[in-house]
Amino acid sequence: MGGGLSRFIRLREASAAALIFCLLAVFFLSFLTISAMAGTETGEFCPTCPDWTNLDGWLAKKDAYEQAQQSGQQSGGQTSGQQNGQASNTPITAKVDLPQKSYTLPELITSPSSIKSDQVILDVRSQPDYLSGHIPKARSMYWKDLQRNGILDPALAKEALGRAGVNESDRLLVYGDSGEGAAFAFWALSYLGHKNVSLLDGGADAARGAGASLTTNAPSPLPSNYTAHIAPWLLVTPDNLESMFELSDVRILDARDFFEYGKDRMTNKSICLSQDKLYVNSRIKDAGTLKDLFGRRLEDSGTAIVYGTPQAYSLFYSLRLMGYNATLLEGDWWKETKWAVSNVR
């Protein structure tokens, strides 16, 4: 009798323990569900309430939610429902693309489909490339004819512009191939003081791809007496480099690839911005990408010293397109200065 009573008591204790365990389990699951659903009574996603039962899914939704919030802030901070005083009940399940932005100085770039009739077109490719087919009415001005020993020579540049019949008041459209010729011509013309210069995005290949009917007929412009108005602040020289470094808001940008940058660079404060970050198949990247790329590295009101020619010409153009104050150092004479840092022993 006593043994049966003892077994009965043990069974009741075990049942009670099991009941307590079940209650705790139900309570815990309820807590997780409440945590996951907190703030979602209206169907909205809660970015501060982790769903511990599906953490990976919650993190994906949180990423999409933050993208949507950023997009909403850039377009005025409100959705159409919120503008009417209503909260949006649409759950966020996918990433939202940010709206496209415009280049800060859109007049510096021309798409192949929007060439203007009042633009004087300069083809800066070599003479054989020009004669093999060029945009109608384009004049030939090989970009290397503006240089002496790989460096801009203002006197030679004036002669080349004169032969092409260019006047300082002309509205210019410059194009080349996938190399640095057009970007060099843009910087050179800017240094010479020309006020109205635009580059054809993608050059001759883009024009051909857009269906342009290229011609082999070469125009014969009347020679001009081109007058330059040098802008000395657009060129860094051995004489002004030190004073440039003394500016409080100066940034030093190396346009070479990361391998070259790793071997030597101009001070340890220089930043590598290689061409692959700026262009895709000779077409410059969209304004939003450039804005993010430069915005995380530069001050809007600062000065950027660009070096590492010939790639530096393209970086200079990209910075000007986005409204930055940039100047350029031609050649590699900087390697002989006290600011050169070399990792090669």
Side-chain angles (χ1 to χ4, degrees), residues 256-314:
R256 301 171 301 162
D257 61 41
F258 192 75
F259 177 75
E260 293 295 325
Y261 171 80
K263 290 195 301 183
D264 54 17
R265 55 193 174 276
M266 191 164 62
T267 83
N268 282 321
K269 294 182 179 180
S270 61
I271 302 170
C272 181
L273 268 179
S274 54
Q275 195 157 335
D276 61 291
K277 295 183 176 68
L278 308 171
Y279 292 81
V280 177
N281 298 326
S282 77
R283 300 293 294 266
I284 196 163
K285 291 187 177 181
D286 64 274
T289 298
L290 294 184
K291 182 176 179 62
D292 178 66
L293 181 70
F294 295 147
R296 289 184 286 110
R297 295 166 172 82
L298 305 170
E299 299 293 335
D300 290 341
S301 60
T303 299
I305 297 177
V306 179
Y307 75 99
T309 52
Q311 301 95 321
Y313 303 121
S314 296

Side-chain angles (χ1 to χ4, degrees), residues 20-35 52-53:
I20 293 173
F21 178 78
C22 291
L23 290 173
L24 287 173
V26 170
F27 174 78
F28 183 70
L29 288 174
S30 299
F31 173 78
L32 288 179
T33 303
I34 292 171
S35 297
W52 301 109
T53 62

Side-chain angles (χ1 to χ4, degrees), residues 112-135:
S113 60
S114 60
I115 297 176
K116 305 295 190 302
S117 60
D118 63 339
Q119 291 176 305
V120 173
I121 306 173
L122 293 180
D123 185 321
V124 299
R125 298 176 299 164
S126 67
Q127 190 72 1
D129 287 339
Y130 172 78
L131 293 176
S132 68
H134 53 267
I135 296 174

